Each structure stands twice: as C-alpha cells, then as structure tokens.
Amino acid sequence: MSLLDDFAHACVLLEKTRKPDGEGGYTVEWTEGAEFMNYLTLDTSMEARRAEKEGVTSVYSALVKKSVPIEFNDYFRDEATGETYRVTSNPEEKTAPKSSSFDLKYFTAEKRALPT
C-alpha cells in the first residue's frame, strides 16, 4: 500500500459523441469511458489564489498512472463527488522519469460542467 492511496479518487473519463437530432442538427452526448485512479488536490499556492481573485476557476493538481489515456481538454468525473473536471494541461509533458519508482504523470484541471 502506498501513501498515495490515501488521496486516491476513483474517476472515469467522459467521451463526447455527436449524433444527428433528426432535424438537420446534432446533439452532444457524453458516455463513460476508461476508469482510473486520480490523486487530485486543490492548488492553494499564492499564484493560484491570485488567479482565482482575477476570475480564473479553481486549479487542481492531479496525478495518474502513465497508462491512463487522458489528454488536454478531456473531461472526467470524480465518482465519489459527481463533480466534473476539464484537463487544462498536457499530461504527457509532465511524466515521471523512467528511473523513478513512480509510474505517474501530472496535469492540471479545473472544475467545470460538461458543455452541451
């Protein structure tokens, strides 16, 4: 058991599909995709707090296993709280070195409702 397990949140990726609405337009539907464990925490640094006062949404820091297929601008839902988040950085740019004992990658996210 890892110390990280104390901070784990069960999450699921949300996949966006567009379907014809029968009237010449399209409707957006969200379906559940891959499940993963996420180590999510609210960023309370001075920079983040300053940004919040300027109107930026709350910034969350997240760690996931390198094998999780998550990308910039993806949406995911925390299964315990039901809250949805949008990925605001590229997880592939912040991966642990191969020599590390942690098989993780880092990204930032914001709490956000699903777009329609």
Side-chain angles (χ1 to χ4, degrees), residues 3 10 26-27 42 87 95 100-102 108 115:
L3 180 60
Y26 292 88
T27 58
L42 178 63
V87 178
T95 61
S100 171
S101 61
F102 291 110
T108 57

Side-chain angles (χ1 to χ4, degrees), residues 94 105 113:
K94 303 263 184 166
K105 57 187 172 184

Side-chain angles (χ1 to χ4, degrees), residues 30-83:
W30 293 91
T31 57
E32 292 186 357
E35 295 179 356
F36 61 98
M37 295 306 289
N38 187 358
Y39 310 102
L40 185 71
T41 184
L42 178 63
D43 187 347
T44 58
S45 68
M46 286 303 289
E47 289 176 4
R49 287 191 277 175
R50 190 175 315 123
E52 282 180 38
K53 287 186 179 194
E54 294 174 4
V56 174
T57 59
S58 296
V59 176
Y60 291 81
S61 297
L63 288 170
V64 297
K65 290 190 175 187
K66 288 181 185 177
S67 61
V68 173
I70 196 162
E71 299 173 351
F72 173 75
N73 217 24
D74 277 350
Y75 283 80
F76 64 92
R77 181 177 58 244
D78 184 318
E79 294 287 70
T81 65
E83 298 285 350

